[in-house]
């Protein structure tokens, strides 16, 4: 019986499970969004959220603890310089799990795991500001297309003659 045994096995032995969680943690902290199965995402939340809480207080000891768990210098640096200060005022709940359609091959429940409070993407602001310009360009394209159609109708049509069948 599994009395007082917390966590999911995920059909792996303990060393494989720890390596899986380390790799997924590094991927989530590096890219800030990953696509995985729902049980793995729920288990990953238990690993990543304490790391972000650790990063809220920048010290040499905390950096060493984070490096011992992640084993990636660049991700530890990002964790303490970018993510820790970003979540300084948030008292927990740093991740979001969004359910997706099942995976086609085996119908496994898929999920999109993200860090909340992601920075605004520069490309997302540009279309909102240029909405008027976009309408103008569409109208301009329509008039150009109409002009091209009129020119095509005015031009004489070229027809091909069929080659005579070899006798």
């Amino acid at each position: 019986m599994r009395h007082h045994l917390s966590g999911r096995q995920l059909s792996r032995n303990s060393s494989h499970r720890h390596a899986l969680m380390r790799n997924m943690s590094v991927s989530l902290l590096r890219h800030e969004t990953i696509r995985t199965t729902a049980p793995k995402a729920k288990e990953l939340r238990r690993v990543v959220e304490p790391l972000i809480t650790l990063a809220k207080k920048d010290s040499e000891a905390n950096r060493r603890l984070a490096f011992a768990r992640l084993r990636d210098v660049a991700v530890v640096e990002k964790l303490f310089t970018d993510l820790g200060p970003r979540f300084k005022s948030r008292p927990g709940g740093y991740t979001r799990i969004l359910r997706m359609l099942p995976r086609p091959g085996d119908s496994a429940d898929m999920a999109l795991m993200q860090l909340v409070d992601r920075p605004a993407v520069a490309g997302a602001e540009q279309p909102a500001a240029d909405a008027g310009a976009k309408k103008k360009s569409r109208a301009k394209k329509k008039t150009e297309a109409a002009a091209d159609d009129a020119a095509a109708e005015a031009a004489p049509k070229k027809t091909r003659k069929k080659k005579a069948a070899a006798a």
Side-chain angles (χ1 to χ4, degrees):
M1 289 187 259
R2 289 180 41 100
H3 293 295
H4 298 292
L5 295 177
S6 65
R8 294 170 176 83
Q9 275 190 326
L10 301 173
S11 299
R12 289 160 173 81
N13 60 29
S14 63
S15 61
H16 189 183
R17 200 167 42 248
H18 289 296
L20 174 76
M21 288 298 126
R22 173 177 289 160
N23 289 333
M24 288 177 59
S25 299
V26 167
S27 294
L28 178 63
L29 294 173
R30 179 176 289 139
H31 302 292
E32 299 189 13
T33 181
I34 58 171
R35 181 175 165 265
T36 183
T37 61
K40 286 180 193 171
K42 289 178 182 179
E43 195 63 24
L44 181 62
R45 181 175 48 194
R46 297 181 62 212
V47 176
V48 171
E49 295 206 0
L51 285 170
I52 295 174
T53 302
L54 193 68
K56 288 164 88 173
K57 191 176 282 188
D58 192 2
S59 68
E60 189 66 27
N62 285 351
R63 282 179 180 261
R64 287 180 180 182
L65 281 170
F67 182 74
R69 294 188 179 124
L70 295 174
R71 306 300 295 175
D72 192 318
V73 176
V75 171
V76 170
E77 183 65 27
K78 179 181 179 180
L79 186 62
F80 282 90
T81 57
D82 181 32
L83 300 177
R86 187 192 315 172
F87 293 115
K88 194 80 164 175
S89 62
R90 182 179 277 274
Y94 312 113
T95 57
R96 169 189 302 130
I97 298 174
L98 302 171
R99 296 197 176 270
M100 298 173 63
L101 292 174
R103 187 163 51 198
D106 59 355
S107 290
D109 293 331
M110 297 302 288
L112 187 72
M113 187 161 189
Q114 300 175 329
L115 296 178
V116 296
D117 295 338
R118 295 179 61 194
V121 180
E125 293 178 11
Q126 185 181 9
D130 296 337
K134 190 179 255 188
K135 287 180 183 176
K136 289 178 186 175
S137 65
R138 283 184 186 166
K140 189 175 182 180
K141 286 180 185 177
K142 278 186 179 179
T143 56
E144 287 177 2
D148 289 343
D149 289 342
E153 290 176 7
K157 293 184 180 179
K158 295 181 182 178
T159 57
R160 277 203 239 168
K161 293 182 181 177
K162 293 183 181 179
K163 290 184 180 180

